[in-house]
Amino acid sequence: MKKVRSLILAGLLALAPATVMSPMALAQENAAAAAPAADNAAISTESPDNATAPAAEAAPAAKVAAPPRMKPTEGIGMPKPGEITLQEQFTSTGHTARWLHDKMLLPLITIISVFVLLLMLYVMVRYRRSANPVPSKTSHNTVIEVVWTLVPVLILLVIAIPSIGLLADQYKPAPKDALTVKVTGYQWYWGYEYPDNGIPEFVSNMLPEDKAKENGEPYLLAPDNRLVLPVGRPVKLIITGADVIHSFAVPSLWVKMDAVPGRLNEKSFTIEKPGVYYGQCSELCGARHGFMPIAIEALPPAQFDQWVQSQGGTLKGAAAEKTAEAAAATAEKKI
């Protein structure tokens, strides 16, 4: 019995330290678990910005509404009934081209045509057989030969000076801050992409007749999606074809450039006035060549920036700075 009692006492003495220490260990573990929570709470109390940052990042950005679709103005950016000259122009090269056509080429052509007609009538009457039974045997006339050589040369020189200037302006490289838009011709529709603003390609197809009339737009010239560009900012179009040769042509902006597969052609211009400007493919490209219209919607800069943001695009350079300044000014007024 003594041995049994000794063994029991020895076991109790061995278990006693563990029994005493276990509550202390539990307290320490609880304190260690509570410490990070307390630290986090302190951090969040000291730095409220840190607490709200994840929520701000998780909140989706407010979607910007697109500006309303611009209504076309009859006779602007489209052909007029009975029109016999070039369409009214809204780019600097267009003004030069129309002046060259209306003020120089047409008068010269008219004068030369009337002069030749009168000269032929005079020769037919003056040198007819009954009035001139014995024909002249003159084979040379130095004065006449000098005149009919020099006068055409002078006329061509007068025409050449503004023509060469217009050619140089048409192919002048775009400035560095120009908005770049890629235009791709497909059979039979157009695709537009804005690499500067991060807007992916979207396609533009002709509207059905009833939808065009409902929108108040000319049938065969109105597409569902327009090429939207800013007014007063230089624009650079990179034009190519996906299948066959097309031609991107907008007469009222003096824009015409072939869209050739495997080649990137460039056209730069600056639109002077807001409006809707219509055009068409000008290269015979297949069965539906006549059904791939072009419509450029030229918006004021602020509305164009709004349109870019509504498409999920980003603003760059001066446009982004101006938009930020306008937003800050609006916020100050609200305060």
Side-chain angles (χ1 to χ4, degrees):
M1 290 294 293
K2 290 182 179 180
K3 290 182 179 179
V4 173
R5 289 178 183 176
S6 300
L7 290 172
I8 293 171
L9 288 172
L12 291 172
L13 289 172
L15 293 172
T19 308
V20 173
M21 291 296 295
S22 58
M24 295 177 61
L26 288 173
Q28 289 176 354
E29 289 177 2
N30 292 336
D39 292 343
N40 291 339
I43 291 170
S44 61
T45 304
E46 292 173 1
S47 305
D49 293 342
N50 292 339
T52 57
E57 290 176 1
K63 184 171 176 60
V64 177
R69 187 179 175 97
M70 184 179 289
K71 294 289 185 182
T73 303
E74 188 172 355
I76 301 297
M78 66 180 80
K80 297 179 183 177
E83 191 172 39
I84 59 173
T85 184
L86 301 176
Q87 293 183 26
E88 185 178 353
Q89 298 297 305
F90 296 92
T91 60
S92 58
T93 52
H95 292 309
T96 303
R98 186 170 181 178
W99 173 85
L100 182 64
H101 177 269
D102 292 352
K103 306 300 182 183
M104 181 174 287
L105 295 180
L106 277 182
L108 277 173
I109 291 170
T110 303
I111 292 170
I112 292 171
S113 299
V114 171
F115 171 74
V116 172
L117 176 62
L118 293 177
L119 185 62
M120 289 179 63
L121 291 174
Y122 171 77
V123 169
M124 290 167 62
V125 173
R126 172 66 181 81
Y127 295 104
R128 69 186 190 278
R129 178 180 295 180
S130 59
N132 190 39
V134 181
S136 172
K137 298 185 181 297
T138 303
S139 59
H140 294 283
N141 187 306
T142 304
V143 174
I144 291 177
E145 290 178 359
V146 170
V147 169
W148 73 32
T149 302
L150 288 181
V151 170
V153 169
L154 294 175
I155 291 173
L156 291 175
L157 284 175
V158 170
I159 295 173
I161 294 171
S163 297
I164 293 172
L166 176 61
L167 269 176
D169 290 341
Q170 288 182 150
Y171 293 97
K172 186 183 297 182
K176 292 182 179 180
D177 60 342
L179 169 70
T180 301
V181 181
K182 184 182 179 183
V183 178
T184 306
Y186 298 93
Q187 287 184 312
W188 289 271
Y189 56 93
W190 295 98
Y192 305 124
E193 180 183 352
Y194 294 71
D196 286 351
N197 304 107
I199 300 177
E201 185 180 58
F202 60 90
V203 298
S204 176
N205 285 286
M206 189 181 73
L207 283 175
E209 186 172 3
D210 56 344
K211 187 64 175 176
K213 290 181 178 178
E214 180 183 337
N215 291 350
E217 299 186 67
Y219 177 52
L220 298 179
L221 290 178
D224 52 2
N225 293 315
R226 296 170 174 171
L227 173 59
V228 181
L229 298 176
V231 172
R233 293 181 187 172
V235 176
K236 177 173 71 173
L237 299 184
I238 303 298
I239 303 171
T240 188
D243 31 52
V244 299
I245 299 177
H246 302 273
S247 185
F248 187 85
V250 183
S252 58
L253 301 179
W254 202 252
V255 171
K256 186 178 186 296
M257 180 60 69
D258 283 353
V260 183
R263 179 181 298 178
L264 298 177
N265 290 330
E266 181 179 315
K267 187 69 178 178
S268 62
F269 55 93
T270 302
I271 304 174
E272 300 174 344
K273 182 180 178 181
V276 182
Y277 305 98
Y278 293 100
Q280 288 178 306
C281 176
S282 296
E283 187 73 36
L284 188 60
C285 59
R288 293 186 58 81
H289 156 69
F291 303 100
M292 49 184 304
I294 301 162
I296 292 179
E297 183 173 343
L299 297 175
Q303 291 186 27
F304 174 76
D305 294 342
Q306 179 185 350
W307 178 85
V308 169
Q309 292 175 315
S310 71
Q311 303 302 307
T314 57
L315 303 178
K316 292 188 177 181
E321 292 176 5
K322 289 180 181 178
T323 303
E325 290 173 2
T330 306
E332 288 178 4
K333 289 179 181 178
K334 289 180 179 180
I335 293 172

